[in-house]
Amino acid sequence: MKKDVRILLVGEPRVGKTSLIMSLVSEEFPDEVPSRAEEITIPGDVTPERVPTHIVDYSESEQTDEQLYNEISRANVICIVYAVNNKNSIDKVTNHWIPLINERTDKDSRIPLILVGNKSDLLDYSSMETVLPIMNQYSEIETCVECSAKNLKNISELFYYAQKAVLHPTGPLYCPEDKELKPACVKALTRIFKISDLDNDGILNDGELNFFQRTCFHIPLAPQALEDVKNVVRKNVHDGVSGNGLTLKGFLFLHTLFIQRGRHETTWTVLRRFGYDDDLELTPEYLFPQLKVPVDCTTELNHHAYLFLQSMFDKHDQDRDCALSPEELKDLFKVFPYMPWGPDVHNTVCTNDRGWITYQGFLSQWTLTTYLDVQRCLEYLGYLGYSILTEQESQATAVTVTRDKKIDLHKRQTQRSVFRCNVIGSRGCGKSGVLQAHLGRNLLRQKRIQEEHKSYYAINTVYVYGQEKYLLLHHVTECEALSAADTACDVVCLVYDITNPKSFEYCARIFKQHFMDSRTPCLIVAAKSDLHEVKQESSVSPADFCKKHKMPPPQAFTCNTADNPSREIFIKMTTMSMYPHARLRCLCTCNRCTYCLCQNLLHSDLLQAVKNKLFTSIVNRLRAWVDVLGESLMTDAESSLGHQVHPVSHMEHSIFMESSAPPTVEVARHMSQAELKGSTFWLRASFGATIFAVLGFAMYKALLKQR
């Protein structure tokens, strides 16, 4: 809605333009009327629409044509005033003023006009029949008002209609010649009807009508009022009511009736509540609410967004087969101005045997859009009416911005649910097969994919330690120098073809150039493992390469199976993304069994650090004991023991030494016993903590299986 309204009054001299303004302000007819009134601003808190209003007068005797043209260009609405008892002033409306205004305004955005017949107190009859042909001739004329500045008749109504013509214009909504809604208005109201039809049965029942009423006007309708509305529709439209509910045809008829009766504000209130501007386009503020995403942060849908999307899926899955057919998908996107998903979406997410997007694939595609292009996701949610149906301020409340990845690495934990894996390898090594296997498709199903419908992304859910996560695979095209976008990910999958002797060399070169010194975990996948393996023409074998760079061993993989390909490598990738600091080495690659949990714990950085500290401590204590024992054998047993002992620090160990003379064998024996007792304590504590942790993980896994 506009922030303010500027009303310009024009007309022939002495028709009462200035008198109308002064009567409005002073609420009485002025004794002396100046030739022109100064510009008046009415505060928004005293106007019906709560919008500041500026009223501008025009005087031919005091202003030039250039000043008039300037005021016309600045005005939001123009009132053409004529005297009802002066035929010449009425003729000037069509002979002079309307052509002049149209010449100074754009044809596609005409300024609304209001005809004002002043001095109605001088006639005993109405002059409306005289100006009615003029109103029918010019569509930009909103209405005609007869008033009297002397008797204060319809003065407030005049300026109310002028304000209303700006804030609630008829032009975009209704065609007076055809007496029906314009196509753009029908399209907007149809979208509103589909959003409000919560069960997608083509009928607004009483509950849906009341929800619509509360959403737009904040007041529910009484049961009798609902019946009255439906009775009006029944009398005028044959199929406007069906099953005691309002059809789309009846819904459109109601708004036509509102406009015909001069209640444009009702329709405009509905349109603006659903995000439309004066041109019946969804506003940028509605489609793209502000959402700040810092660098190294990602965007994910939250729990409320997934619940909303689940309701959208259920609403359009009419046959309840947990998949959206092409017709159901088309019906879902009828509230969009275009089809947002192309044919490649069927190769990006999970589908059923008929190629229809499943419930899991539906949520995965929305997750992918949110991760890659959050602004587009906000736009899509806006088309679906997220903020209206969930009664939220905007669809930005559906998105969670994750914290900086550096903080996750520092704290060694993450709350993220979506992890990105860049799949890198030489041409023909099997990267596309890895992506499609992530969606559960074997080689036979992959061969049916058309070349123009291939996708460079694949996203699906993966369960790690009982938690559902999304793993997003990105196919990186082969090149010698990767871009920053190609290396920005949570885990890297380096794929080589075991049947191509030159395939691994590319993976090794890419790893050394981009990932050897980074903190991004890498996994090497030996693709086409069902075929005969050849020796790689590389300075080091894949297994030795992984061992040298402290990576998991190469993972054998094939999608040439009768059933769904194995998902072990995808669980491994997701686990490495969640715990990039742990350097997990799961022997059976399932990451779910108790054995794997124990192995990962034993090879974790924390336990390795404890083991190293314990080993260093024992070695240092043994060195100290040997040094003390050697010195004691070389000293005199009768040396004085009265000197004070003080501690001395050392880079690798610390022992207690005498200030002036070496200790005796007895003192050394007591000291060595104390040191060994301390070492034994720490040895027992570390061993006990390890056993406790292993048992704890085993109990957790057992409870998880019971659930």
Side-chain angles (χ1 to χ4, degrees), residues 167-230:
L167 302 179
H168 311 299
T170 309
L173 306 180
Y174 186 72
C175 180
E177 294 82 4
D178 300 331
K179 296 184 179 180
E180 60 183 21
L181 298 175
K182 289 188 174 180
C185 182
V186 172
K187 182 179 178 181
L189 291 175
T190 301
R191 170 181 171 268
I192 293 171
F193 180 89
K194 287 191 64 64
I195 291 175
S196 304
D197 184 12
L198 303 179
D199 55 8
N200 199 34
D201 62 350
I203 299 171
L204 294 185
N205 56 41
D206 289 354
E208 292 166 343
L209 278 172
N210 253 325
F211 177 80
F212 169 81
Q213 179 74 13
R214 289 197 310 271
T215 298
C216 298
F217 305 102
H218 311 292
I219 300 175
L221 286 174
Q224 186 58 46
L226 283 172
E227 287 302 318
D228 293 342
V229 169
K230 287 183 282 189

Side-chain angles (χ1 to χ4, degrees), residues 109-159:
S109 57
R110 296 288 193 193
I111 296 178
L113 305 177
I114 293 180
L115 300 184
V116 181
N118 193 22
K119 303 184 180 181
S120 63
D121 58 291
L122 300 180
L123 292 181
D124 296 331
Y125 57 90
S126 174
S127 64
M128 293 298 293
E129 293 184 1
T130 307
V131 298
L132 190 59
I134 301 176
M135 295 180 61
N136 294 332
Q137 181 180 356
Y138 297 96
S139 59
E140 57 266 35
I141 298 177
E142 289 285 327
T143 187
C144 178
V145 182
E146 283 192 349
C147 58
S148 171
K150 186 174 183 180
N151 295 342
L152 305 182
K153 176 186 176 182
N154 290 338
I155 302 298
S156 299
E157 288 77 2
L158 159 64
F159 293 100

Side-chain angles (χ1 to χ4, degrees), residues 439-604:
L439 306 178
R441 296 169 184 163
N442 56 24
L443 188 61
L444 182 62
R445 291 186 62 184
Q446 293 179 25
K447 290 181 178 179
R448 302 172 188 167
I449 300 175
Q450 300 180 22
E451 184 67 28
E452 61 272 18
H453 293 168
K454 284 188 176 181
S455 173
Y456 286 94
Y457 292 96
I459 184 170
N460 198 1
T461 55
V462 178
Y463 284 89
V464 178
Y465 302 146
Q467 302 178 47
E468 184 184 55
K469 304 294 181 181
Y470 282 94
L471 178 63
L472 165 61
L473 301 184
H474 175 215
H475 180 164
V476 178
T477 55
E478 180 187 8
C479 60
E480 292 302 321
L482 300 182
S483 64
D486 295 333
T487 58
C489 56
D490 300 300
V491 62
V492 178
C493 177
L494 298 169
V495 184
Y496 76 95
D497 181 1
I498 66 171
T499 65
N500 183 356
K502 299 181 180 180
S503 182
F504 180 74
E505 181 61 30
Y506 178 79
C507 296
R509 185 167 64 254
I510 290 296
F511 176 82
K512 292 177 181 179
Q513 290 178 356
H514 300 282
F515 302 107
M516 187 167 65
D517 298 326
S518 72
R519 303 180 68 178
T520 305
C522 297
L523 183 70
I524 292 181
V525 173
K528 306 179 184 179
S529 61
D530 58 307
L531 303 178
H532 176 69
E533 183 176 5
V534 299
K535 184 179 180 181
Q536 295 293 318
E537 296 178 2
S538 177
S539 58
V540 61
S541 67
D544 293 338
F545 183 87
C546 293
K547 187 175 182 180
K548 177 182 178 181
H549 295 285
K550 298 180 179 181
M551 298 164 58
Q555 307 293 305
F557 173 79
T558 179
C559 55
N560 187 15
T561 60
D563 300 322
N564 296 335
S566 172
R567 295 188 55 78
E568 291 182 355
I569 65 168
F570 306 115
I571 298 173
K572 188 75 173 180
M573 294 174 191
T574 311
T575 308
M576 295 171 70
S577 301
M578 294 173 62
Y579 309 103
H581 56 279
R583 292 190 177 276
L584 306 179
R585 294 175 176 83
C586 180
L587 300 185
C588 72
T589 70
C590 75
N591 276 334
R592 289 177 291 180
C593 64
T594 305
Y595 180 71
C596 291
L597 292 172
C598 297
Q599 288 296 326
N600 287 333
L601 174 66
L602 291 174
H603 290 90
S604 65

Side-chain angles (χ1 to χ4, degrees), residues 562-692:
D563 300 322
N564 296 335
S566 172
R567 295 188 55 78
E568 291 182 355
I569 65 168
F570 306 115
I571 298 173
K572 188 75 173 180
M573 294 174 191
T574 311
T575 308
M576 295 171 70
S577 301
M578 294 173 62
Y579 309 103
H581 56 279
R583 292 190 177 276
L584 306 179
R585 294 175 176 83
C586 180
L587 300 185
C588 72
T589 70
C590 75
N591 276 334
R592 289 177 291 180
C593 64
T594 305
Y595 180 71
C596 291
L597 292 172
C598 297
Q599 288 296 326
N600 287 333
L601 174 66
L602 291 174
H603 290 90
S604 65
D605 288 352
L606 177 61
L607 200 59
Q608 292 295 329
V610 172
K611 184 177 73 174
N612 293 336
K613 286 183 178 295
L614 181 61
F615 179 77
T616 303
S617 176
I618 293 175
V619 170
N620 290 341
R621 300 307 180 187
L622 289 175
R623 285 180 181 175
W625 183 78
V626 171
D627 291 344
V628 171
L629 183 61
E631 291 181 4
S632 65
L633 293 175
M634 298 175 61
T635 56
D636 189 6
E638 298 178 357
S639 298
S640 174
L641 300 177
H643 294 84
Q644 186 178 2
V645 179
H646 63 90
V648 178
S649 299
H650 192 270
M651 293 178 60
E652 297 181 353
H653 61 276
S654 60
I655 60 174
F656 288 96
M657 299 182 63
E658 196 176 74
S659 60
S660 59
T664 61
V665 175
E666 186 66 21
V667 173
R669 185 173 64 82
H670 286 296
M671 291 173 60
S672 62
Q673 289 178 353
E675 298 292 344
L676 286 176
K677 286 181 180 179
S679 301
T680 303
F681 170 78
W682 285 108
L683 180 62
R684 290 176 178 176
S686 302
F687 184 77
T690 304
I691 296 298
F692 178 81

